[in-house]
Amino acid sequence: MQYINIDRVLTFEGEDTKSFLDSLISNEFVEEKVVPSFLLFPDGKINYWFLTELKGGVVKIYQENEVLLNIKKTFEKYKIRIKCEIEIKDIDSTLKINTETFEVEFDSNFKADNPLTWNELSLNTELPTLDTIKNGLLPNETKWLLTFLNFEKGCFLGQEPVSRVNFRGRPRRKLITNDQGLQEFIKI
């Protein structure tokens, strides 16, 4: 198990919240469960990865503070005639993450002594770091495709290119973290 201390969260509240986000992010919501997801560009490449939680009609997104600001700006670009308030709020909690299965749960009463940073979590789990995302990669090029993406949920931003690679082809490369703790692509 790995731990991340969380001090900010991006919240979405309003009657259109679930339908608005469902049309954009790659995974479906499970009430009161933390679920990993991607926000893709229209060409199917990863824009951001984050953790989502649906609780009582409020959706929360967890990621590094700086990244939350950028995610918020991105969602605000798509928010046209949508009844949904988007805010970043302060919280004080710890996420417990199984890095083998990417199952995540909260432990509000626990503060990790040596918590991971989001970048360390990315490297430990072979998820793309911000630098790797800037170089462009498809979810199909990560080992977490079926954990962060649900092909059964219906359409979402960038879904068509990802589906095409998944069902009609295969990626030419795979993202790994090497022994030196750096991310690189290996040819498949």
Side-chain angles (χ1 to χ4, degrees):
M1 289 291 178
Q2 301 287 323
Y3 298 89
I4 288 188
N5 291 333
I6 304 290
D7 58 2
R8 303 195 78 196
V9 61
L10 181 61
T11 63
F12 298 79
E13 295 183 62
E15 68 181 76
D16 295 337
T17 294
K18 191 172 176 195
S19 61
F20 168 61
L21 290 171
D22 197 45
S23 69
L24 295 172
I25 68 173
S26 66
N27 216 339
E28 64 185 338
F29 300 109
V30 178
E31 184 73 35
E32 298 201 26
K33 184 175 179 190
V34 180
V35 178
S37 191
F38 291 121
L39 176 63
L40 305 176
F41 288 110
D43 66 358
K45 292 184 179 169
I46 297 172
N47 191 354
Y48 300 104
W49 72 266
F50 44 78
L51 304 172
T52 64
E53 179 185 34
L54 172 64
K55 195 170 188 177
V58 176
V59 174
K60 298 176 181 178
I61 289 182
Y62 305 98
Q63 189 30 289
E64 181 180 338
N65 292 343
E66 180 183 316
V67 175
L68 284 179
L69 292 170
N70 294 329
I71 293 171
K72 181 178 187 244
K73 288 177 190 174
T74 301
F75 280 118
E76 285 173 339
K77 289 178 190 174
Y78 291 107
K79 188 184 153 213
I80 300 168
R81 293 186 293 277
I82 301 291
K83 295 177 183 171
C84 174
E85 296 301 317
I86 306 172
E87 286 183 77
I88 295 179
K89 296 181 179 179
D90 294 332
I91 63 169
D92 186 21
S93 196
T94 300
L95 285 174
K96 182 168 50 171
I97 302 166
N98 181 330
T99 55
E100 297 298 316
T101 62
F102 226 94
E103 291 180 10
V104 181
E105 56 186 67
F106 271 99
D107 194 338
S108 300
N109 300 320
F110 176 76
K111 266 303 199 203
D113 292 332
N114 292 320
L116 291 177
T117 64
W118 286 94
N119 193 58
E120 290 169 334
L121 177 64
S122 294
L123 292 172
N124 290 351
T125 58
E126 297 182 318
L127 277 164
T129 61
L130 293 176
D131 290 337
T132 304
I133 287 173
K134 288 176 188 171
N135 293 327
L137 78 151
L138 293 167
N140 312 67
E141 298 170 326
T142 72
K143 74 177 193 179
W144 298 105
L145 175 68
L146 298 177
T147 304
F148 278 67
L149 195 139
N150 184 343
F151 288 108
E152 304 295 319
K153 82 175 208 76
C155 292
F156 53 88
L157 186 65
Q159 176 253 340
E160 289 179 15
V162 174
S163 292
R164 209 171 305 123
V165 170
N166 190 60
F167 294 114
R168 292 188 179 167
R170 65 170 216 227
R172 291 180 245 149
R173 61 187 188 164
K174 199 67 141 179
L175 177 69
I176 64 160
T177 301
N178 64 25
D179 295 338
Q180 290 82 35
L182 303 171
Q183 290 194 324
E184 65 179 336
F185 289 100
I186 57 170
K187 289 191 178 210
I188 296 178

